[in-house]
Amino acid sequence: MRARFEELAWRETPIGEISLRRRRDPALDVDVYEVKLDDEFLMSSLFPVAEIELARLGLAPLTGDALDVVVGGLGLGYTARTALEDPRVRSLLVVEAIEEVIDWHRRDLLPFTAGLAADPRTRLVRADFFAAVASGAGLDPESPGRRFHAVLLDVDHSPRQVLHPSHAAFYTVDGLRRLAALLHPDGVFALWSNDPPDSAFQRVLTEVFPTSVAHVVRFPNPLQHREAANTVYVARH
């Protein structure tokens, strides 16, 4: 019989203690996988809808059948896995700052994303997404300045609630212009946020991208017996 609770992985990082846990929820009769940073819950396998929609909404505006995609922030892997389900995706570069998170997927600790790291289209890169964009060298350390058809970002809680102060500059006009320079013409930048649509951030997007839309993604919260919502911003270069 499996234990009702397991800490599958733990590591001290520059931004705090990160851990991956599995627990059995007797009320829902499912295994729940959760990521914690210190005492704060970052993500849960109970609520993958918006992370999945980040990939779907981000790739939907694109045409062509040889897409090169970046996922910033690996987490539980839902966004990366969903991107790979699109047959148009030729390559997927995942930029993750924490080696332990990459190791979770290399070891297939998460059954719903098993095989993600082994997919021949996938390359997992340990790097700080925000520092890479700010440096001007780009997101692919093997190909400085490489451009992509889509960049899908899910790291911070929102543009206003960042996990580290160094991330804040990315969500400015200058920061997003550096990101836009790494996109092909008509490329897409898509961003997950835990907050409702932010009109101030939408104005920043419109200064950099010709078009942008804030999608409200609604999903049931079985723990609180109510509907919850996240936001996915989709901006076209």
Side-chain angles (χ1 to χ4, degrees), residues 5 7 13-14 43 55 59 68 73 75 81 86 95 102 104 113-114 129 147 156 167 170 204 213 228 230:
F5 174 86
E7 186 172 74
T13 78
M43 57 196 73
L59 297 180
D68 298 319
R81 185 201 66 180
D86 190 321
V95 180
I102 294 174
W104 300 345
T113 55
F129 175 94
R147 292 191 175 196
D156 293 312
H167 299 180
F170 174 81
V204 172
V213 179
N230 294 158

Side-chain angles (χ1 to χ4, degrees), residues 44-200:
S44 167
S45 62
L46 280 179
F47 314 113
V49 175
E51 287 84 353
I52 291 169
E53 288 302 306
L54 173 61
R56 291 178 177 167
L57 292 168
L59 297 180
L62 296 170
T63 58
D65 57 2
L67 303 180
D68 298 319
V69 178
V70 172
V71 168
L74 178 54
L76 293 176
Y78 284 106
T79 300
R81 185 201 66 180
T82 304
L84 288 173
E85 290 172 357
D86 190 321
R88 301 174 300 158
V89 172
R90 172 175 60 187
S91 71
L92 180 69
L93 181 72
V94 181
V95 180
E96 168 58 53
I98 301 172
E99 181 64 37
E100 183 73 8
V101 176
I102 294 174
D103 185 58
W104 300 345
H105 292 276
R106 287 182 173 148
R107 294 162 57 196
D108 282 338
L109 295 182
L110 300 156
F112 41 84
T113 55
L116 168 65
D119 190 296
R121 294 171 293 168
T122 302
R123 184 151 56 92
L124 306 179
V125 173
R126 182 186 178 278
D128 182 325
F129 175 94
F130 302 96
V133 172
S135 72
L139 295 166
D140 186 347
E142 295 182 5
S143 180
R146 180 185 175 192
R147 292 191 175 196
F148 297 88
H149 298 95
V151 173
L152 315 173
L153 179 60
D154 177 5
V155 174
D156 293 312
H157 294 305
S158 75
R160 291 180 183 269
Q161 298 190 42
V162 296
L163 293 181
H164 191 274
S166 63
H167 299 180
F170 174 81
Y171 300 101
T172 66
V173 170
D174 287 344
L176 292 177
R177 281 180 176 154
R178 293 187 185 96
L179 184 280
L182 301 175
L183 292 172
H184 288 297
D186 295 324
V188 168
F189 167 58
L191 172 71
W192 174 90
S193 172
N194 192 48
D195 289 348
D198 183 326
S199 58

